[in-house]
Amino acid sequence: MSSGKQYSTPGYAQASNVRLVRAGTEYFDCAHSMIRNARSVIHLQTYIYEEDHTGQVIAQALADAVKRGVSVYLLVDGYASRTLSKSFLRQLDMDGINFRFFAPLFRNTNFYVGRRLHHKILVADVDEALVGGVNISDRYNDLPGQPAWLDFALYTKGAIVSELYTLCCKTWNNFRNGATFPVLKPQQSTAPPDNLSTIALCRNDWVRRKNQVSSTYVRMLRSATSEVIILSSYFIPGKMIRSQLAQAARRGVKIKIITAGNSDVGIAKYAERYSYSFLLRNHIELYEYKGNILHGKLAVCDDRWLTIGSYNLNNISAYASIELNLNVQDEKIARKSAQVLRELIDQHCVRVSDSISGHVRNPFSRLLQWVSHHTVRFIFYVFTFYYKHHA
């Protein structure tokens, strides 16, 4: 990402009933309610879909919706969801659920060339939507003896849902001519004025020349006047974001970054820590989450606006995946979200400092971090562009 690159600014639409939803029981209760209440069409698009308990329950809810006459479209990434069994896919077909793996640019029996469908979205009719970083898997659900990974989504109603519905239809067709979908109109909002927000749909997709989520983070850091709080899994920022973080800190902006203490990808944690010395030198506050696994992607600027979705601060999200975030211009929602992050810092995080052994000063650890950092960046590209799919 070069300093001369042009960044696009998304348009805003009206939204209502906007709220932050945490992964686990809260998220899946919300998803089930949306599926139960759907009258005409459901789009569910996700990176990871597993046929574990959570995946089976969601599949049954979608099948029940089909029985009520609802058209259901389930689109999953062909790389991350490749373990779905043929028997599971046959059952989806028997239940009348329209299913597809997201198609790459090119594929034959030997290789896969393309980008990953990384966004996570549920749209019911053109009435309500749920957008965030939560996949369909037991890992993101609260089960007996197993709390959900830390992640968030945004629930919304209003005109923005019409844009999300249109995006789902286009993505299902891989932005080509294909299945036709009914033209649906959102219900008229009856929400009082103090329950209205403005939301922008932001995408990153190198094939479609979309870099709106990358642009959001650059704009956030350039425009911030007091504080930016970033919750980020797989935090491996590129040169541009590191530069913007440093410049914002020099202007006196207080920057707090929450990263994973434990990662589901061990090498990624070492790669993340490679950037710690740079961030600490620039007086950026670093915190590691000490719960189970941090998977969320959320940032709040000056308690005034926020961005949330599937976008990780690393090059695979910036350049190689299809990403979807929502930017929310609403001080009430932003303040509540910032308070959630501050409580995470106070109750579940450890602050990182130069004195923490193994993060910065130990030469062997620094070497391991350097190797991990460059290895992960290489793996990101290789696994995105080359993959043999057997499903």
Side-chain angles (χ1 to χ4, degrees):
M1 191 183 297
S2 66
S3 59
K5 187 170 182 176
Q6 296 298 311
Y7 291 97
S8 54
T9 302
Y12 280 81
Q14 190 180 77
S16 64
N17 302 89
V18 179
R19 59 187 172 90
L20 193 67
V21 178
R22 187 161 177 163
T25 301
E26 183 181 4
Y27 179 89
F28 285 101
D29 282 354
C30 181
H32 279 291
S33 176
M34 291 171 61
I35 294 170
R36 283 196 306 269
N37 294 333
R39 304 174 306 281
S40 56
V41 63
I42 294 170
H43 279 278
L44 174 58
Q45 299 182 355
T46 189
Y47 182 56
I48 296 173
Y49 196 114
E50 295 187 328
E51 53 186 289
D52 52 17
H53 171 75
T54 299
Q56 295 286 354
V57 170
I58 290 292
Q60 185 59 57
L62 295 174
D64 292 342
V66 173
K67 293 176 183 176
R68 301 195 310 270
V70 178
S71 298
V72 176
Y73 298 87
L74 173 58
L75 179 66
V76 306
D77 182 70
Y79 175 84
S81 298
R82 64 192 184 279
T83 59
L84 290 175
S85 68
K86 291 182 179 179
S87 61
F88 182 78
L89 300 182
R90 280 196 300 269
Q91 187 61 52
L92 293 179
D93 182 61
M94 291 171 59
D95 290 334
I97 297 169
N98 299 289
F99 174 86
R100 282 183 183 174
F101 285 109
F102 177 74
L105 290 179
F106 308 102
R107 181 178 64 185
N108 67 17
T109 56
N110 297 314
F111 66 90
Y112 172 118
V113 179
R115 72 270 201 236
R116 300 183 189 180
L117 178 73
H118 195 238
H119 67 223
K120 297 90 176 172
I121 177 172
L122 173 63
V123 174
D125 303 324
V126 190
D127 185 34
E128 49 187 350
L130 197 55
V131 176
V134 183
N135 291 295
I136 307 301
S137 164
D138 284 350
R139 289 173 287 179
Y140 302 85
N141 204 356
D142 290 316
L143 300 175
Q146 178 189 306
W149 287 7
L150 178 64
D151 211 332
F152 295 95
L154 196 79
Y155 173 84
T156 183
K157 304 183 76 169
I160 187 63
V161 181
S162 181
E163 294 187 24
L164 292 165
Y165 172 76
T166 299
L167 175 62
C168 285
C169 296
K170 290 180 177 179
T171 309
W172 174 267
N173 287 326
N174 202 17
F175 292 85
R176 302 186 181 98
N177 294 329
T180 57
F181 299 91
V183 177
L184 302 177
K185 295 183 178 180
Q187 292 184 343
Q188 292 286 1
S189 174
T190 58
D194 62 353
N195 196 27
L196 296 177
S197 309
T198 52
I199 295 183
L201 183 162
C202 298
R203 296 163 53 207
N204 256 54
D205 182 350
W206 63 271
V207 170
R208 311 251 78 82
R209 299 191 178 186
K210 296 290 185 180
N211 62 356
Q212 294 165 332
V213 192
S214 298
S215 174
T216 290
Y217 276 94
V218 172
R219 181 165 59 90
M220 177 176 284
L221 293 167
R222 286 178 176 172
S223 66
T225 58
S226 59
E227 182 184 55
V228 173
I229 309 176
I230 298 172
L231 175 78
S232 179
S233 57
Y234 318 113
F235 181 73
I236 310 173
K239 183 184 293 185
M240 169 61 85
I241 294 297
R242 291 199 304 271
S243 174
Q244 293 300 321
L245 286 166
Q247 290 180 40
R250 285 196 293 270
R251 295 198 316 270
V253 178
K254 181 178 287 189
I255 300 175
K256 300 178 180 179
I257 299 174
I258 307 170
T259 66
N262 302 305
S263 178
D264 59 312
V265 183
I267 192 173
K269 187 64 249 177
Y270 285 106
E272 285 182 323
R273 287 175 175 159
Y274 179 69
S275 299
Y276 280 13
S277 59
F278 170 84
L279 299 170
L280 293 171
R281 284 199 310 271
N282 284 279
H283 309 291
I284 294 167
E285 295 182 23
L286 271 171
Y287 299 89
E288 286 190 345
Y289 175 69
K290 293 303 181 183
N292 49 1
I293 301 293
L294 185 156
H295 192 260
K297 312 96 168 50
L298 168 65
V300 184
C301 181
D302 295 335
D303 279 6
R304 292 188 297 107
W305 66 282
L306 63 95
T307 187
I308 181 173
S310 66
Y311 185 92
N312 292 304
L313 280 162
N314 59 45
N315 279 351
I316 194 169
S317 281
Y319 299 113
S321 296
I322 296 179
E323 305 286 357
L324 174 63
N325 268 38
L326 295 179
N327 293 356
V328 184
Q329 295 277 6
D330 186 315
E331 292 188 13
K332 181 172 64 175
I333 301 298
R335 285 196 300 270
K336 286 182 179 179
S337 301
Q339 185 57 35
V340 168
L341 297 182
R342 293 185 186 110
E343 290 175 359
L344 280 174
I345 289 172
D346 292 341
Q347 300 173 17
H348 301 287
C349 293
V350 172
R351 184 165 181 176
V352 177
S353 68
D354 281 326
S355 62
I356 293 182
S357 175
H359 286 192
V360 176
R361 294 189 180 279
N362 184 286
F364 176 77
S365 293
R366 286 296 290 160
L367 176 61
L368 182 58
Q369 292 158 20
W370 181 89
V371 171
S372 299
H373 177 81
H374 291 284
T375 300
V376 166
R377 287 166 66 92
F378 175 74
I379 289 173
F380 278 169
Y381 289 113
V382 170
F383 276 74
T384 298
F385 292 100
Y386 299 95
Y387 163 61
K388 185 175 180 179
H389 182 60
H390 295 282

